[in-house]
Amino acid sequence: MVKITFIGAGSTVFVKNILGDTMLTPSLSDAEMALYDIDEKRLRESELMLKTINKNSNHNRAKIISYLDRKEALRNADFVINAIQVGGYKPSTVIDFEIPKKYGLKQTIGDTVGIGGIFRALRTFPVMLDFAKEMEEVCPNAWLLNYTNPMAMLTMGMLKGTKIKTAGLCHSVQACVPDLFGYLGIAETENLDDFQWKIAGINHMAWLLEINKNGEDFYPTIKELAKKVEDPHHDSVRFELMNRFGYYVTESSEHNAEYHPYFIKDKYPELIERFGIPIDEYLRRCEQQIIDWEKRRDDIVENGELTHSRSNEYASYIMDAIVTGKPTMIAGNVLNHGLITNLPEGACVEVPCLVDKNGIQPTFVGDLPTQLAALNRTNINVQELVVEAALTLDKSKIYQAAFLDPHTNSELSMDDIVSLCDELIEAHGEYLPQYH
């Protein structure tokens, strides 16, 4: 029997997608599902929800057990799903936004790079490194499928700092082309089955390198249609990047607005309006999610008729391919060992991967267009230094990561960056280890 452990199982809706998918996968339908979360109430809600789906959609084949002891939840696992958020919305996410505001530093999402992404990583690493040690003891051959952001930093750190087989999984590659077609207004007139595309880069900044319709380059059509869409609109930042650098990027405009030095600038406040940049967007989303959960809770947790339809999340397809040997393809976050040849060796890259009984096997991409590799490297610089900070506990690496962050260094002086980092270190308190 396959054992799947879900760390952060209080994320009930996400658990429904991942483990609901698993129940609908024949090779995994009788799996043992071990649920762990530090929030006992949310953990029990997820357990109740899954047991309802198991009854209604899976003939009670799966074995679902909640654990308050993480190590026991991990024991003998074949797969571990990670979906934690250390520090939650309050206090940690609010801290990541409110303290930088004192310095005039605005953010939209704050979960990938930037000051928000740096400190989200730093408070998440201790937890992940701790359960990696437990995995090395009680399930050393398990695959860790990481869904927690900042994806590139955390996946890189797990692969460099532990012995655990790890791959990072994100939704942005699956959504890239369908969303683009939706923004261009052609989703209803074009059949995706007529198209072939290739995507590679880094997480949240991977690139649609080519897209063909029945063998013909479709990029000229995309670019012509994009020029006709008036700013501001939902995808203004991505369309501007495509116009200036030649290629469409996977992650949303609100994310990419803070990955670059061009869009959120006190000197040019009109850019916020021009590109429709939603400052503090993640804070609003968190508040709305809290409200929505209170409205949806009974429909999900207390609904005895609840069923599930398989989603397009990669996890169940990966586990099925490894268990059965039936191959599948995914976009995975892995270490760059000769995969993208003009990005740094050992960086975390997002590339097409083959999955079968041999596990998750990344494929060769070669050189990215020079300008795209250059943009990726500005974010990789930050990621590598944050990983070094987490693994060495060297405080200077935190400052250096912030000095090199494209948005932060375009707005603040080096002295202000040091002061900002010191305030954030103090404010996050026990969520962070002691740095020297």
Side-chain angles (χ1 to χ4, degrees), residues 7-273:
I7 305 294
S11 303
T12 305
V13 175
F14 193 56
V15 169
K16 178 180 184 293
N17 284 341
I18 299 299
L19 295 184
D21 289 354
T22 301
M23 292 180 198
L24 299 180
T25 305
S27 66
L28 307 170
S29 61
D30 63 350
E32 178 181 343
M33 301 178 182
L35 312 179
Y36 172 80
D37 201 280
I38 60 172
D39 186 330
E40 186 173 354
K41 179 177 181 292
R42 291 297 299 268
L43 179 64
R44 300 302 178 192
E45 289 174 342
S46 292
E47 179 186 2
L48 179 59
M49 176 271 300
L50 282 176
K51 285 182 174 178
T52 301
I53 294 175
N54 192 33
K55 175 177 175 289
N56 294 336
S57 300
N58 193 36
H59 306 290
N60 281 321
R61 296 185 66 197
K63 182 180 180 182
I64 300 163
I65 305 174
S66 290
Y67 291 84
L68 297 177
D69 184 321
R70 185 178 63 194
K71 190 173 181 179
E72 288 307 307
L74 290 167
R75 190 175 300 279
N76 299 321
D78 299 289
F79 301 98
V80 177
I81 312 295
N82 179 46
I84 61 174
Q85 185 180 0
V86 177
Y89 167 53
K90 292 181 179 178
S92 293
T93 297
V94 172
I95 288 170
D96 284 344
F97 276 79
E98 295 304 320
I99 291 178
K101 280 183 189 176
K102 292 166 50 180
Y103 291 80
L105 191 64
K106 302 181 180 71
Q107 298 175 93
T108 53
I109 305 295
D111 74 345
T112 302
V113 286
I115 288 297
I118 289 169
F119 279 86
R120 188 178 178 114
L122 292 174
R123 65 177 182 268
T124 306
F125 266 120
V127 178
M128 290 183 64
L129 293 172
D130 277 350
F131 74 65
K133 290 178 183 176
E134 294 172 350
M135 289 179 67
E136 288 171 357
E137 181 180 346
V138 301
C139 58
N141 296 317
W143 273 96
L144 175 63
L145 304 181
N146 179 50
Y147 277 98
T148 296
N149 283 324
M151 177 62 63
M153 296 184 199
L154 296 176
T155 302
M156 188 193 311
M158 293 298 279
L159 288 167
K160 289 186 172 183
T162 81
K163 299 175 182 177
I164 299 302
K165 296 179 293 188
T166 304
L169 305 176
C170 184
H171 323 276
S172 59
V173 172
Q174 296 112 302
C176 177
V177 172
D179 284 356
L180 172 60
F181 281 17
Y183 301 146
L184 293 175
I186 59 175
E188 295 181 1
T189 60
E190 295 289 352
N191 183 352
L192 284 179
D193 290 340
D194 294 334
F195 291 84
Q196 169 271 326
W197 57 85
K198 179 180 180 180
I199 293 173
I202 62 173
N203 180 242
H204 284 191
M205 201 193 288
W207 306 97
L208 182 60
L209 298 173
E210 61 183 53
I211 180 165
N212 301 312
K213 180 182 180 182
N214 297 322
E216 296 292 326
D217 184 8
F218 197 67
Y219 244 131
T221 301
I222 288 172
K223 291 176 180 178
E224 277 303 309
L225 291 170
K227 289 178 183 177
K228 297 176 183 178
V229 184
E230 294 185 5
D231 292 324
H233 59 85
H234 185 70
D235 219 23
S236 288
V237 168
R238 283 203 280 183
F239 280 16
E240 179 71 357
L241 289 169
M242 179 169 62
N243 180 46
R244 302 292 187 174
F245 291 98
Y247 294 83
Y248 190 68
V249 68
T250 50
E251 190 49 78
S252 64
S253 284
E254 59 265 27
H255 276 278
N256 268 278
E258 64 183 7
Y259 301 163
H260 305 275
Y262 314 118
F263 300 104
I264 305 174
K265 303 187 76 64
D266 271 351
K267 187 177 179 181
Y268 302 103
E270 68 275 9
L271 293 174
I272 303 292
E273 182 176 354

Side-chain angles (χ1 to χ4, degrees), residues 325-371:
K326 180 181 178 182
T328 191
M329 290 293 298
I330 66 161
N333 288 272
V334 297
L335 292 189
N336 187 36
H337 293 311
L339 303 172
I340 300 180
T341 43
N342 55 352
L343 291 184
E345 182 77 6
C348 185
V349 293
E350 193 166 63
V351 297
C353 299
L354 170 69
V355 190
D356 59 18
K357 281 196 173 184
N358 294 307
I360 297 170
Q361 303 154 84
T363 64
F364 175 79
V365 174
D367 275 2
L368 298 179
T370 303
Q371 71 276 21

